[in-house]
């Protein structure tokens, strides 16, 4: 029987959001925000459905979490996202004061590296960044999605 670490268990929850995006013909990226061992925000990409270039999984999750706690400051929260955040989403993560960032697969397409950018910004709020959590699983759904798109 497979045993998952705590971070893998949370990433599986983010992956469920990615599956929802896939089912809606959106780029399958999912995200959750956790505080005190409870999901307080979640979302998946909705760029096409909402016709909004900012409707990324992370942005929707941050809004959801902020509404849940009634504060824009997400201190002591951890964010789990299936793919490395883009620069817009990374900025929102920093601005919302999220403490920990965990993601599945790195984004090699645009060369953006969260770790490098964070080191250069010297964020005082973001304490931990970890990549590669269920990376193969997170990469697989993206690969499958884009293979299906090319067939159309």
């Amino acid at each position: 029987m497979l045993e998952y670490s705590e971070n893998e268990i949370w990433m599986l929850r983010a992956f469920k959001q990615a599956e929802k995006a896939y089912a809606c013909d959106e780029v399958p990226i999912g995200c959750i925000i956790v505080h005190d061992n409870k999901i307080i925000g979640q979302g998946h990409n909705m760029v096409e459905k909402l016709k909004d270039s900012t409707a990324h999984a992370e942005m929707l999750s941050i809004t959801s979490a902020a509404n849940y706690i009634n504060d824009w400051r997400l201190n002591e929260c951890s964010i789990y996202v299936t793919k490395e955040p883009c620069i817009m989403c990374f900025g929102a993560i920093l601005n919302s004061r999220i403490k920990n960032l965990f993601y599945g697969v790195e984004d090699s397409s645009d060369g953006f590296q969260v770790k490098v950018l964070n080191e250069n910004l010297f964020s005082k709020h973001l304490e931990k960044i970890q990549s590669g959590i269920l990376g193969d699983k997170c990469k697989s759904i993206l690969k499958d999605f884009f293979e299906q798109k090319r067939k159309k």
Side-chain angles (χ1 to χ4, degrees):
M1 185 168 153
L2 279 176
E3 282 219 21
Y4 292 105
S5 70
E6 181 179 356
N7 283 339
E8 288 172 333
I9 291 168
W10 290 125
M11 189 61 72
L12 286 169
R13 298 292 296 271
F15 189 82
K16 286 188 183 298
Q17 291 295 314
E19 290 175 320
K20 287 181 181 181
Y22 190 105
C24 297
D25 203 30
E26 296 276 356
V27 175
I29 299 172
C31 181
I32 64 166
I33 295 176
V34 176
H35 182 261
D36 286 338
N37 239 7
K38 180 179 180 181
I39 296 174
I40 63 166
Q42 60 187 354
H44 57 79
N45 275 359
M46 295 184 70
V47 171
E48 299 299 332
K49 181 178 181 181
L50 298 177
K51 308 289 187 246
D52 179 355
S53 64
T54 68
H56 290 195
E58 301 93 327
M59 303 296 278
L60 298 173
S61 296
I62 289 168
T63 299
S64 174
N67 287 333
Y68 182 85
I69 66 169
N70 199 30
D71 193 350
W72 63 269
R73 296 168 195 87
L74 300 178
N75 299 323
E76 303 304 316
C77 291
S78 296
I79 188 167
Y80 292 81
V81 61
T82 57
K83 183 174 175 285
E84 180 177 13
C86 70
I87 197 162
M88 172 186 70
C89 292
F90 185 66
I93 289 166
L94 292 178
N95 286 336
S96 62
R97 300 181 180 180
I98 288 174
K99 184 176 182 178
N100 303 303
L101 165 61
F102 303 101
Y103 58 94
V105 64
E106 291 183 351
D107 182 0
S108 59
S109 65
D110 65 6
F112 176 66
Q113 294 294 314
V114 161
K115 292 175 189 172
V116 172
L117 185 57
N118 187 54
E119 287 170 8
N120 290 332
L121 291 175
F122 304 107
S123 171
K124 62 183 177 184
H125 301 290
L126 188 58
E127 292 180 12
K128 184 174 185 179
I129 299 172
Q130 183 180 341
S131 64
I133 301 167
L134 299 180
D136 290 341
K137 186 175 187 72
C138 294
K139 183 177 184 176
S140 178
I141 194 171
L142 288 162
K143 182 179 177 197
D144 184 61
F145 176 80
F146 287 110
E147 284 176 356
Q148 295 301 318
K149 282 289 189 194
R150 285 191 283 274
K151 288 180 183 177
K152 290 182 181 180

